[in-house]
Amino acid sequence: AIDQPVLWQSGLRQWLGIFPVVCFSYQGHISAVPLYYELTRKSMTRWVAVISLGLGSCIVLYNITGCLAYLTFLDRTQGDILKSFLAEDVAIPRIMVTFARVAVAVKVCVTSGVFTFCARSAILDELDRMLGKPMSSSDGVFLLVTFTWAALVALVAVLAPDIGKVVSVVGNISAFFMFHFPGMCILATVRTDKRTLSNVSRRLRLVAGWTLIFLGTFVFCAGLWSALDGL
């Protein structure tokens, strides 16, 4: 056990373990488009302002919570911070921990619908493309995809009681998505805006796009190897 906070981690595995957690926590690509759709006065300025405010709030709150928990429990800090407060030597009433868990459950119930919507849309669009007909218009297929997705999510939650291990593996997929998606979008703008782009702008976008794609591939492969090796 340590009695002083460690401000710098040494070792490649420790650093590789950071990326999945960060990418899992801050991924906003999935809900960005539905968020734009819900704006009353749609504009890029309002969209960026809402996303920046939301992301900034998450950064502040996540880091305050993580730092205070680490300073309190040091190396006894668990991936699920609320479990750390259940120790016998923690002078916090259990009712407060229970209240926090209820708040987390309510938050998940409210926000999971956005991710289900995006996942279902992606699956239905892919079915339409593969089968060559609009399967998404069928109520039966719509309900089947929805309930299957919800059942698989619930199954993973039941079979994987340690959320830290889930995040260490799934977070690498988030990293892959977070780097690849912007990289592919940048490369797509090179093709769509080729008539208006100068040679310098075109080269810069190509470099930026491929850099993000290669970086995402490295983070995904290295982080996934580290996570699976540490299970």
Side-chain angles (χ1 to χ4, degrees):
I2 61 174
D3 55 3
Q4 293 294 330
V6 177
L7 301 180
W8 182 265
Q9 289 283 357
S10 60
L12 181 61
R13 173 170 292 182
Q14 283 77 8
W15 283 100
L16 288 176
I18 295 174
F19 288 103
V21 178
V22 173
C23 293
F24 187 84
S25 302
Y26 295 111
Q27 58 176 334
H29 305 61
I30 298 176
S31 55
V33 176
L35 183 63
Y36 178 81
Y37 179 78
E38 293 297 329
L39 290 177
T40 52
R41 298 188 302 276
K42 298 178 177 59
S43 69
M44 288 297 297
T45 303
R46 286 174 56 82
W47 191 38
V48 172
V50 170
I51 291 175
S52 300
L53 179 61
L55 184 59
S57 301
C58 289
I59 291 174
V60 172
L61 293 175
Y62 289 175
N63 283 279
I64 289 177
T65 303
C67 289
L68 292 180
Y70 177 66
L71 292 175
T72 302
F73 302 106
L74 297 178
D75 61 338
R76 294 182 292 113
T77 306
Q78 300 190 42
D80 183 351
I81 294 179
L82 292 177
K83 289 184 178 180
S84 301
F85 288 97
L86 297 177
E88 297 295 334
D89 58 341
V90 177
I92 292 181
R94 292 293 181 94
I95 186 64
M96 295 185 64
V97 179
T98 302
F99 178 78
R101 289 194 177 279
V102 172
V104 172
V106 172
K107 175 261 181 188
V108 171
C109 291
V110 173
T111 58
S112 62
V114 176
F115 296 102
T116 301
F117 167 79
C118 297
R120 180 182 59 208
S121 298
I123 294 172
L124 292 175
D125 289 345
E126 191 63 21
L127 287 175
D128 292 348
R129 186 188 66 81
M130 292 189 331
L131 299 178
K133 54 184 179 179
M135 297 296 296
S136 54
S137 60
S138 171
D139 291 339
V141 175
F142 180 88
L143 294 175
L144 177 63
V145 171
T146 303
F147 285 108
T148 300
W149 179 266
L152 289 175
V153 172
L155 183 64
V156 172
V158 171
L159 297 180
D162 188 351
I163 189 63
K165 294 182 179 179
V166 176
V167 171
S168 66
V169 175
V170 179
N172 291 287
I173 301 176
S174 301
F176 187 83
F177 180 62
M178 286 183 68
F179 287 104
H180 270 244
F181 187 73
M184 293 172 64
C185 289
I186 293 174
L187 293 179
T189 62
V190 175
R191 184 178 65 254
T192 56
D193 302 340
K194 61 182 179 180
R195 295 182 179 178
T196 58
L197 286 177
S198 63
N199 289 332
V200 175
S201 298
R202 180 176 176 276
R203 292 191 183 96
L204 287 176
R205 291 192 186 188
L206 286 173
V207 171
W210 283 112
T211 299
L212 287 173
I213 290 176
F214 283 121
L215 183 60
T217 303
F218 170 76
V219 171
F220 170 74
C221 295
L224 185 61
W225 167 80
S226 177
L228 294 177
D229 190 56
L231 292 178

